[in-house]
Amino acid sequence: MLTTIIAVTLVLGGLIFFHELGHFAVARGFGMGVSTFSLGFGPKILKRKWGKTEYALSLIPLGGYVALVGEQDDSELPEGFTREESFSLRPAWQRLLVVAAGPVANMLLAWLLCWILAFGWGTPQLLPQVGGLVEDGPAARAGVEAGDTIVSINGQPIVDWEDMTRAIAASDGQAMLVELKRPHKVESVAPPADEDIAPQDSHDRTTASDGATAATSLLTVEIKPEMAVRKTIFGEDEKAWLVGIRNTGAVRLVEHGFWGAAVAGAGQTSNMLALTWKSFVKLVERVVPLDQVGGPIMIMQMVGKQAHEGMAGLLALAALISINLGVLNLLPIPVLDGGQIVFCLWEMIFRRPVNARVQDYAMRAGLALLVTLMLLATYNDIWRIVKGAGWFGSGS
């Protein structure tokens, strides 16, 4: 329990801190005044003033805020600040950059975490190993067996499962020459102690711990992909060229140097960002059901689970949550950063701000929507716990 509490505090606190730090750093970079920098909402537990800014730790740990001087046109300036430091009197493009800096900071944090993961642990590659076959599928008819490894397709080397899927998709249904590596296990017989033994080719045979010799052979088969329907990760049906094989789930960790890890981390961050954005789109399209939306309780459960399983998993989860936080804040909901960005863009395009009354009603509607989503997520979290406990049936 203590490990979970510490992990949740560090992960969520760190993500919120970086988000607010983005707003703070850009605002100060433009010379705007910041009266308060707070982690959390509500009553302040700890606070200290450095310069003109009060830094605080507040009671409710579900977010944070940076109180900019003059956020509203008619707001009074705090003592010690001047009109030149007022946020609302700055050009729309400066205000846009300040607002966008929070989500961007979350993306940068995710990249830094993926960089650390790639440098410290390497990046996982799913091996092109056959774990199972579809009965009477193209691969099964060609003689592919479970345990085979795909070495090349039409002469192109296959390094990982992604290479293989791309090659199959690019075939457009044409027959492919697939080179396989097939393992064999041959029982070895111990020779007399005084008999000289010629060494075996290490590329062909290795000795297993049970005394058997593991040998591999290369063979080439012709496979003609067939158009079939498969499920996406979102549960949708899609048509694709398939050969009817499943992977073993085995991975290799690819090591990187310092700067190579930065590039690999950027690639992983990009993949996370694309998947997260697509998830939001599928949620709006109702492809992903609303009961899959999770809230703070689910996040705390996931963080606690990864904290007990190892640092690598915890860092990867923190990166994913950071990406989700950044994308969520970019949604065009007025109470979020994305809504404020829309208001700034309107002002930049039409040379006048959005009507104050329109902004007020939009903020109220956005707040109502956000509260509704939070209640839905919390309800889903509690319902999952109740079902898992088996209070309403088996929970299966």
Side-chain angles (χ1 to χ4, degrees):
M1 178 61 75
L2 181 60
T3 301
T4 298
I5 293 172
I6 293 173
V8 169
T9 302
L10 291 177
V11 169
L12 297 186
L15 299 185
I16 294 167
F17 173 77
F18 264 83
H19 181 92
E20 300 304 333
L21 182 62
H23 293 310
F24 177 84
V26 176
R28 295 301 300 131
F30 283 127
M32 300 179 192
V34 178
S35 59
T36 307
F37 184 114
S38 175
L39 285 180
F41 297 109
K44 296 170 183 175
I45 303 171
L46 298 172
K47 60 182 180 180
R48 181 162 183 180
K49 195 166 186 177
W50 279 292
K52 296 181 180 180
T53 303
E54 181 182 75
Y55 300 86
L57 181 65
S58 300
L59 182 62
I60 305 172
L62 298 178
Y65 64 92
V66 169
L68 299 170
V69 170
E71 284 192 74
Q72 305 298 326
D73 292 328
D74 56 354
S75 60
E76 294 184 6
L77 297 179
E79 185 179 352
F81 292 95
T82 64
R83 285 179 57 82
E84 287 73 23
E85 296 175 287
S86 176
F87 174 79
S88 60
L89 298 180
R90 293 304 181 94
W93 67 269
Q94 289 189 9
R95 286 183 274 126
L96 185 150
L97 290 178
V98 171
V99 173
V104 170
N106 284 122
M107 309 298 178
L108 289 175
L109 175 60
W111 172 50
L112 288 173
L113 292 173
C114 289
W115 185 349
I116 292 170
L117 279 166
F119 183 68
W121 286 270
T123 52
Q125 275 188 341
L126 187 60
L127 297 177
Q129 294 179 349
V130 180
L133 297 103
V134 175
E135 186 177 355
D136 199 36
R141 292 196 300 268
V144 179
E145 298 178 1
D148 289 350
T149 299
I150 312 297
V151 176
S152 68
I153 295 179
N154 290 334
Q156 296 297 317
I158 300 299
V159 176
D160 56 25
W161 191 267
E162 189 65 27
D163 285 348
M164 186 198 69
T165 56
R166 280 196 294 263
I168 294 172
S171 71
D172 201 26
Q174 300 299 311
M176 309 179 303
L177 289 178
V178 180
E179 187 177 20
L180 308 170
K181 182 168 67 175
R182 178 167 297 169
H184 302 284
K185 194 172 184 181
V186 181
E187 292 298 327
S188 60
V189 179
D194 59 349
E195 184 176 335
D196 291 333
I197 302 298
Q200 297 289 343
D201 185 347
S202 62
H203 294 286
D204 297 328
R205 296 175 181 270
T206 58
T207 301
S209 59
D210 60 0
T213 300
T216 59
S217 59
L218 293 176
L219 62 153
T220 302
V221 297
E222 184 178 88
I223 305 176
K224 191 174 188 301
E226 295 177 350
M227 182 64 71
V229 176
R230 66 180 177 186
K231 293 285 186 183
T232 69
I233 60 172
F234 300 106
E236 294 180 289
D237 290 335
E238 70 171 5
K239 289 186 175 181
W241 294 108
L242 303 175
V243 297
I245 61 175
R246 294 182 290 272
N247 62 65
T248 60
V251 298
R252 74 162 66 91
L253 290 175
V254 180
E255 296 182 352
H256 303 278
F258 186 74
W259 296 114
V263 175
Q268 293 225 328
T269 305
S270 176
N271 292 339
M272 284 184 183
L273 179 58
L275 180 60
T276 301
W277 176 251
K278 198 169 183 179
S279 299
F280 277 98
V281 171
K282 296 301 180 183
L283 185 63
V284 172
E285 294 175 347
R286 299 298 302 275
V287 173
V288 176
L290 289 176
D291 62 7
Q292 296 300 305
V293 176
I297 297 175
M298 187 179 78
I299 291 174
M300 288 188 283
Q301 288 176 324
M302 294 170 65
V303 170
K305 182 174 182 291
Q306 289 300 327
H308 286 89
E309 292 185 356
M311 181 61 73
L314 184 61
L315 292 177
L317 179 60
L320 183 58
I321 297 173
S322 190
I323 289 285
N324 275 266
L325 182 60
V327 172
L328 176 64
N329 273 279
L330 285 174
L331 295 179
I333 299 174
V335 75
L336 297 176
D337 295 331
Q340 297 305 308
I341 290 172
V342 171
F343 289 155
C344 291
L345 288 173
W346 172 281
E347 185 174 342
M348 291 167 64
I349 294 170
F350 296 101
R351 305 293 180 182
R352 65 177 187 276
V354 176
N355 181 275
R357 180 173 293 183
V358 172
Q359 287 194 49
D360 182 55
Y361 284 128
M363 292 290 284
R364 293 182 186 183
L367 181 60
L369 176 60
L370 193 61
V371 170
T372 301
L373 288 174
M374 286 296 294
L375 290 174
L376 172 66
T378 304
Y379 169 80
N380 287 341
D381 289 349
I382 295 173
W383 180 244
R384 273 189 286 266
I385 293 172
V386 170
K387 283 182 67 179
W391 293 351
F392 294 93
S394 63
S396 60

